[in-house]
Amino acid sequence: QAGYSVNLAGKNHSYLKREDFDFYAPYMHVGGGRKDRKTPEQQAFDEWLKDLDHHVAMEPTPFPLEMQLPYRVVSDAIECVDSRDERPFFLWLSFAEPHNPYQVPEPYFSMFPPESVPERAAGPEAAEAKGGSWLWLRRLIEEKRPGYDEHWRRYRANYCGMIRLIDDQIGRFVEHLEAKGLLEKTIILFMADHGDFAGDYGLQRKETELPECLVRVPLTIVGPGIKSQ
């Protein structure tokens, strides 16, 4: 109603539909993008992600960086900015990662060696002792992925690599705004969603209460033509 174009590149965690956006490039945890423009290599990568079944990859991802979802999301966001009309824009730039499946290509796979990752707050014995939803989630994950906790250091290493990859892609987008002369006219808002146990308490993902590790930050872009209040 204020005259902005409304755009999405990334995960659509809302009740809004395609027709609610001027530009719409949706992604989820195992792929996405605009189906009519997906390349065969992107399709192969998305199938590989699906086959990984939310596990922890023990080897570098056998696809180039350009196939990673954060890279593709930013590419779509750049296209959105470059193809905009004269209206100021609102862009919801929403990364589905860092999230399972836990995978990352080089150089990010080797950037954080497993032996160097931060120690976890507690192991699975703590979830067993807590009981309740903690015990439920611990047993649920163990049933689906027996022995997964043996790889908690690789899990954390991949997770750190995924965060760094996203950092680099945010930098890529901001540099594009600067090159287009839009950065000074654009407000960038970081908004919290959730993080990941990343092996703390022998757990993956989220689901049980809200301990200190469950914090992460997606990105919202508004510009240009903003007047300060």
Side-chain angles (χ1 to χ4, degrees):
Q1 291 175 338
Y4 286 75
S5 66
V6 181
N7 311 284
L8 168 71
K11 185 175 181 179
N12 182 9
H13 232 332
S14 77
Y15 294 103
L16 298 176
K17 296 181 171 55
R18 180 181 299 273
E19 56 269 23
D20 298 314
F21 295 96
D22 294 288
F23 180 94
Y24 187 69
Y27 289 80
M28 286 299 290
H29 300 295
V30 291
R34 289 167 288 175
K35 293 181 180 179
D36 59 327
R37 301 184 63 177
K38 190 179 291 188
T39 68
E41 190 173 22
Q42 288 173 346
Q43 182 64 45
F45 173 74
D46 291 356
E47 291 297 326
W48 181 85
L49 276 183
K50 193 177 300 182
D51 291 341
L52 193 55
D53 190 29
H54 296 289
H55 281 273
V56 177
M58 302 304 293
E59 301 290 339
T61 303
F63 290 85
L65 169 64
E66 292 76 13
M67 295 302 104
Q68 290 287 317
L69 302 185
Y71 188 98
R72 288 156 58 184
V73 167
V74 166
S75 294
D76 283 329
I78 288 173
E79 180 182 338
C80 172
V81 169
D82 289 351
S83 62
R84 72 191 190 285
D85 55 29
E86 71 283 354
R87 293 176 294 169
F89 67 89
F90 175 92
L91 170 61
W92 184 9
L93 176 49
S94 176
F95 298 105
E97 294 83 3
H99 195 281
N100 52 319
Y102 307 100
Q103 55 76 41
V104 73
E106 293 289 12
Y108 302 99
F109 184 85
S110 301
M111 198 172 284
F112 303 92
E115 63 274 12
S116 72
V117 300
E119 294 294 330
R120 51 187 179 176
E125 69 285 348
E128 298 279 343
K130 280 176 174 289
S133 58
W134 297 78
L135 179 58
W136 166 79
L137 184 59
R138 161 70 184 157
R139 292 181 175 176
L140 180 70
I141 298 171
E142 180 65 36
E143 180 181 343
K144 181 169 176 57
R145 305 178 186 103
Y148 76 92
D149 193 61
E150 298 172 14
H151 307 298
W152 71 268
R153 286 190 176 275
R154 181 72 261 168
Y155 173 7
R156 287 169 93 84
N158 286 4
Y159 192 79
C160 288
M162 294 172 81
I163 293 173
R164 175 56 190 270
L165 189 156
I166 291 172
D167 285 347
D168 289 347
Q169 292 310 305
I170 292 174
R172 176 178 162 232
F173 183 76
V174 171
E175 288 172 0
H176 187 79
L177 289 179
E178 186 171 29
K180 290 289 184 177
L182 296 173
L183 188 58
E184 294 302 318
K185 309 175 193 176
T186 301
I187 295 174
I188 300 177
L189 306 173
F190 290 86
M191 301 175 65
D193 185 8
H194 70 83
D196 192 297
F197 279 107
D200 278 353
Y201 305 100
L203 299 176
Q204 292 184 332
R205 304 182 62 219
K206 52 186 194 300
E207 309 300 352
T208 174
E209 301 184 13
L210 193 61
E212 66 286 347
C213 57
L214 298 188
V215 179
R216 80 174 174 91
V217 182
L219 183 63
T220 301
I221 311 295
V222 185
I226 308 298
K227 293 183 178 179
S228 61
Q229 300 295 319

